[in-house]
Amino acid sequence: MSAEIDLARFERVVIPHLDAAYNLARWLTGNDHDAEDVVQEASLRAMQFFGGFHGDAGRPWLLAIVRNTCFTWLKKHRGREPAAAFDEDIHSPLTDREDPQRLQIGAEHHELLHKALEALPAEFREVIVLRELEGLSYKEIADIAAIPVGTVMSRLARGRDRLQQRLTERLKKDS
C-alpha cells in the first residue's frame, strides 16, 4: 500500500514538471529525440530514488536529475561536447507588434535568438534556460546545478553578454 501512496505522491509532486524537464533536456542536447530519451531515463531515475526525496519542491529536484542524466547521456553518446566558437551577436526589441512586417522580423529574431542560445556552451545555456525560460530562482538553479549562487549569477551575466554580442554582430551582418 505504501508503494501506491508513493506513486500517488510521485504523480502529484514530479509529473507536473515533465514539460520543464523536457525543455531543459532539449536545450542541453539540442535535439528533440535525444531530449525525450534523457527525460525518460531521468523519470525512471526519479521514480527509483523518490523514496529518498523529502519535501514538495519536485521541480528543482527533477530538473537536477534531468541535468545530471543529460550530461551523463551526452558523455556516453557524444563524448565531450565540442567547444562552441563565439561569433557573438544579439537582438533589438520590437517596437510595433501589430505590424505584419514587424511580426515577420520578430519571427526571424526569434530564430536568430534560438540559434545563438544553442551556440552557447552548456554551462551558460543551462542557467539561461532555467532562469529565463523556466523562471527558476538563483537559489533553485544553484541547487540544480550544484554550484554557488554567485556562480549562477556570473554565468547568467556572461551568458547574456555572449548572447547580446552574438546577436548584435549577426544583425549588423544582415543589415
Side-chain angles (χ1 to χ4, degrees):
M1 177 141 179
S2 66
E4 291 177 32
I5 293 171
D6 286 345
L7 182 57
R9 183 170 173 255
F10 182 83
E11 289 175 353
R12 185 182 76 252
V13 173
V14 176
I15 298 299
H17 307 296
L18 287 178
D19 287 343
Y22 174 79
N23 191 34
L24 177 60
R26 171 64 181 87
W27 279 105
L28 292 178
T29 64
N31 178 295
D32 291 328
H33 180 71
D34 293 346
E36 290 169 1
D37 289 347
V38 166
V39 171
Q40 182 176 12
E41 187 174 332
S43 297
L44 291 172
R45 287 182 185 183
M47 185 172 271
Q48 179 182 2
F49 295 104
F50 191 66
F53 174 70
H54 304 290
D56 290 324
R59 187 176 186 197
W61 182 76
L62 177 62
L63 293 178
I65 293 171
V66 169
R67 176 192 183 271
N68 293 336
T69 302
C70 189
F71 287 126
T72 300
W73 189 93
L74 286 169
K75 284 179 189 173
K76 180 179 177 184
H77 290 88
R78 297 187 189 166
R80 288 192 76 153
E81 183 178 17
F86 294 106
D87 151 289
E88 331 235 351
D89 28 28
I90 192 127
H91 67 291
S92 58
L94 294 178
T95 56
D96 183 7
R97 295 195 177 264
E98 286 76 39
D99 181 2
Q101 184 178 8
R102 296 248 184 221
L103 289 174
Q104 178 61 35
I105 292 170
E108 291 168 5
H109 284 185
H110 176 77
E111 179 64 24
L112 183 61
L113 178 60
H114 184 89
K115 286 180 179 181
L117 186 55
E118 282 183 336
L120 288 177
E123 67 183 3
F124 297 130
R125 190 171 57 239
E126 79 173 326
V127 294
I128 289 174
V129 168
L130 291 171
R131 179 68 180 167
E132 304 302 340
L133 301 180
E134 294 302 327
L136 296 177
S137 70
Y138 292 165
K139 170 111 175 64
E140 290 170 322
I141 297 168
D143 291 344
I144 289 167
I147 56 177
V149 172
T151 302
V152 170
M153 295 167 66
S154 172
R155 287 182 183 176
L156 275 170
R158 290 170 58 203
R160 288 172 179 154
D161 285 347
R162 288 182 179 192
L163 275 175
Q164 183 175 9
Q165 291 169 0
R166 182 174 194 83
L167 292 169
T168 300
E169 288 175 8
R170 183 63 186 183
L171 289 173
K172 286 179 184 177
K173 287 178 188 177
D174 292 345
S175 297

